[in-house]
Amino acid sequence: MRRVYAAGVGMTKIDRHYDKGFQELVHIAVKNLVDDVKMFSPEAIVVGNMMSSSLYQQDSLAALVADAAGLRGRGGFKVEAACGSGGHAVAAGYALIASGLYDQVLVVGVEKMSDYPTATTTSALAQAADFEHEAIYGVSFAALNALVMRLYMHRYEARREDLALWPVRMHEYGSQNPYAQLRNRITVEDVLKSAVIADPIRLMDSSPIGDGAAAVLLVSEDVARKVSDTPIQIVGVGMGSDGLDLTSREDLLNPMSVRIAAEKAYKMAGVEPMHIDVAEIHDAFTITALLSIEGLGFAKLGESWRFIKDGRFASGDKPSINLSGGLKARGHPVGATGVYQVAEIVMQLRGDFPGVKVGKAEYGLAMNTGGVATLTSVIILKR
Amino acid sequence: MSPARVWRERGARYRLEGSKCKKCNKVFYPPKPACPYCGSLDVEKVELPKRGKIVSYAIEHTVPEGYRHLAPIIVALVELENGVKVLAPITDAKPDEVYIGMEVEAVLRRIWEESSEGLIVYGIKFIPIKE
Ligand SMILES: [Zn+2]
């Protein structure tokens, strides 16, 4: 297999972009990417997206992206893994280059979620769960996570206020990230007093509904230096799955898909969790952050909430986690999120991330999941 | 939703049918054509016990379209007497009455309707066992 590099990145600020459709969002991200590289001539397109069909009545997304990016004629496809679509799109783009098929591939993640009332978007998001046996009962995605959160607090004796520390930290980081959707600081009290979505999950435990697009240009080692002065190598890629339904899973608090994806990525990169300097992980809800941290091996099962209480994983620690503000504050345009994460890690490793910086870092990790840790990808990058 | 789909899925939702693996003997819900634990492709349908205990639950206030008249929905993961877990709503109980470990029993209820003249879907809900 050939080495693969991320040669350039571009993002849009995540927001309720009522004035912009898919094409405009993609266009802004790609323009920022073009400014980031010396040469832009992708031969193929991979699009990460979840709900273009259910909310935007649009398939054939690669053709839409091609026109928005001035690339008519280039082939490509959409990758769907629910809220984990973006990370999986990067994995697919990686494979196209590692295999020798192409030298330059444009990976775009795009999602529009804000055009509809919350109940409609909630229904579309619930399609990440087992429709026949869970969503059919009117069970939302937040409710599934809330059920897991209650089990976590019950088994590990974590208090509700302990779990409020994560969103507070995410808003602190988000306030310094110009691309973040939520840029206000909040307190533990704010979290505990916010509206109940699905008890015990409150509004401020949840990532916001927003629109966004992010782009990463992946290239082979043959052209990496022609495209960028600071290409960042992708050294590990892993994917894993768990049951679509929650009922037949072995243990809801031991996320199999995360463990399997991480194991493969760490092994491929030749590193262990302790070598990671900076990480962007999936925290669609507070509970998702805890399970992600534990699944990635940064803490043992049931320990992450104590670590967070002790100030671990914050800026200055190793690893520093979600300096972007995470899904919680940076925002979570579901199918685009994984591409944002990879773009942020690339910028952190280059040292030009516009928000809270990690400082000198060698290894970065991006972990993105769809469903309740149903489909997970882990991507490890090296400066 | 199509009538054919609702009809096809009736076993799991009307009778609480799961699957049993003929190789490792594990029983699971929902029914699947392959064993999620050992990968065997040889499984059979079995009817599951109707009683169990709540493992965890959530009180859903932000409810998807079509279910708003049911809000708040109590969503529970129930462990049946044979250890198999089922996820379904709790009914005939107030949110503050529900607790982890509560004993419940499966009943058949109307769960969704397309419109006043459209399809009506039935499925499992759990009610508290009062003894
Ligand atoms: Zn088996």
Side-chain angles (χ1 to χ4, degrees):
Chain A
M1 283 208 305
R2 300 192 303 168
R3 290 180 180 184
V4 178
Y5 293 81
V9 301
M11 301 185 268
T12 64
K13 179 189 185 299
I14 300 171
D15 218 327
R16 289 177 172 263
H17 290 289
Y18 297 117
D19 59 333
K20 295 181 188 72
F22 269 33
Q23 293 245 4
E24 289 84 1
L25 290 171
V26 168
H27 184 75
I28 294 167
V30 169
K31 269 185 94 164
N32 289 335
L33 166 57
V34 170
D35 290 342
D36 194 44
V37 292
K38 292 189 288 184
M39 172 182 139
F40 180 76
S41 53
E43 305 157 275
I45 296 164
V46 182
V47 191
N49 168 269
M50 174 183 179
M51 306 191 294
S52 72
S53 186
S54 56
L55 285 185
Y56 207 67
Q57 292 76 46
Q58 187 64 65
D59 288 321
S60 304
L61 277 201
L64 182 146
V65 168
D67 270 5
L71 296 171
R72 182 171 287 200
R74 271 55 150 211
F77 48 81
K78 161 178 163 175
V79 170
E80 186 278 311
C83 315
S85 300
H88 285 79
V90 174
Y94 175 92
L96 290 178
I97 291 171
S99 65
L101 196 58
Y102 291 114
D103 281 310
Q104 278 200 49
V105 173
L106 174 66
V107 180
V108 173
V110 58
E111 202 80 66
K112 272 214 63 79
M113 303 170 69
S114 71
D115 286 4
Y116 295 92
T118 302
T120 310
T121 307
T122 302
S123 299
L125 287 170
Q127 291 186 198
D130 182 330
F131 182 82
E132 283 184 24
H133 308 101
E134 293 179 353
I136 186 78
Y137 290 107
V139 175
S140 72
F141 194 53
L144 295 175
N145 282 280
L147 189 150
V148 177
M149 181 170 170
R150 189 184 301 276
L151 185 63
Y152 188 99
M153 295 195 303
H154 183 76
R155 189 185 294 175
Y156 300 129
E157 294 171 346
R159 295 174 311 165
R160 192 46 272 246
E161 51 266 44
D162 297 327
L163 271 54
L165 295 171
W166 182 263
V168 171
R169 188 189 288 179
M170 291 302 100
H171 275 248
E172 171 60 33
Y173 296 157
S175 73
Q176 298 174 64
N177 176 3
Y179 293 102
Q181 180 172 2
L182 303 179
R183 305 199 54 200
N184 59 317
R185 290 185 173 83
I186 59 168
T187 63
V188 166
E189 183 120 299
D190 293 332
V191 178
L192 299 181
K193 280 186 176 164
S194 62
V196 180
I197 302 292
D199 187 59
I201 287 181
R202 288 175 176 268
L203 182 67
M204 288 193 189
D205 288 302
S206 321
S207 47
I209 287 172
D211 313 324
V216 175
L217 185 64
L218 299 184
V219 301
S220 70
E221 54 189 323
D222 299 346
V223 302
R225 288 282 160 188
K226 279 182 222 153
V227 178
S228 168
D229 292 328
T230 52
I232 300 293
Q233 194 187 347
I234 295 179
V235 289
V237 177
M239 299 188 291
S241 80
D242 206 338
L244 185 58
D245 57 276
L246 297 194
T247 58
S248 64
R249 293 189 182 188
E250 300 264 18
D251 181 358
L252 283 180
L253 302 187
N254 188 355
M256 178 165 83
S257 72
V258 183
R259 272 190 291 114
I260 290 173
E263 220 166 85
K264 161 88 174 155
Y266 285 136
K267 196 175 168 203
M268 183 173 159
V271 296
E272 289 178 35
M274 63 177 185
H275 296 118
I276 303 298
D277 298 292
V278 58
E280 285 291 328
I281 64 157
H282 200 92
D283 61 337
F285 300 98
T286 302
I287 181 64
T288 322
L290 305 180
L291 296 184
S292 299
I293 288 169
E294 294 169 17
L296 288 166
F298 296 142
K300 291 203 181 80
L301 293 182
E303 276 188 351
S304 60
W305 68 275
R306 289 181 201 275
F307 280 18
I308 291 161
K309 219 174 151 180
D310 292 343
R312 291 286 320 274
F313 313 128
S315 156
D317 193 17
K318 183 174 175 172
S320 304
I321 299 183
N322 286 12
L323 298 178
S324 67
L327 281 58
K328 175 66 198 84
R330 172 239 290 121
H332 182 30
V334 289
T337 294
V339 184
Y340 273 92
Q341 292 177 320
V342 170
E344 286 154 357
I345 293 295
V346 166
M347 293 171 115
Q348 288 286 9
L349 294 177
R350 297 192 309 204
D352 58 8
F353 183 68
V356 179
K357 287 182 183 53
V358 65
K360 231 175 152 40
E362 190 179 7
Y363 286 101
L365 178 151
M367 175 248 155
N368 183 211
T369 191
V372 184
T374 308
L375 289 167
T376 301
S377 68
V378 171
I379 292 166
I380 298 175
L381 300 104
K382 184 176 186 286
R383 186 163 57 98
Chain B
M1 281 283 276
S2 75
R5 182 172 182 183
V6 173
W7 171 77
R8 216 164 45 227
E9 295 164 359
R10 69 197 181 284
R13 283 210 300 268
Y14 291 10
R15 291 192 294 274
L16 200 58
E17 272 178 13
S19 300
K20 183 178 180 186
C21 175
K22 289 186 181 174
K23 195 174 159 205
C24 74
N25 286 319
K26 280 202 173 148
V27 180
F28 48 89
Y29 182 91
K32 294 175 193 293
C35 176
Y37 305 108
C38 78
S40 165
L41 299 177
D42 202 7
V43 303
E44 60 185 349
K45 292 260 172 70
V46 287
E47 210 166 305
L48 301 174
K50 303 293 177 282
R51 289 184 166 214
K53 278 192 287 197
I54 293 179
V55 176
S56 189
Y57 65 97
I59 314 293
E60 180 182 321
H61 292 270
T62 303
V63 172
E65 233 174 351
Y67 298 89
R68 293 179 103 157
H69 60 291
L70 297 171
I73 299 176
I74 307 169
V75 180
L77 184 66
V78 173
E79 184 173 332
L80 302 174
E81 282 168 346
N82 64 349
V84 172
K85 295 189 190 81
V86 174
L87 191 136
I90 303 287
T91 188
D92 300 357
K94 293 196 185 76
D96 58 5
E97 292 169 355
V98 177
Y99 56 94
I100 289 177
M102 187 185 207
E103 301 208 21
V104 294
E105 181 168 26
V107 292
L108 187 69
R109 291 289 163 91
R110 178 183 296 208
I111 56 171
W112 187 72
E113 46 213 283
E114 202 159 50
S115 67
S116 56
E117 288 161 25
L119 208 55
I120 297 173
V121 181
Y122 293 86
I124 299 292
K125 288 192 183 185
F126 286 94
I127 57 168
I129 295 173
K130 284 172 184 146
E131 282 169 326

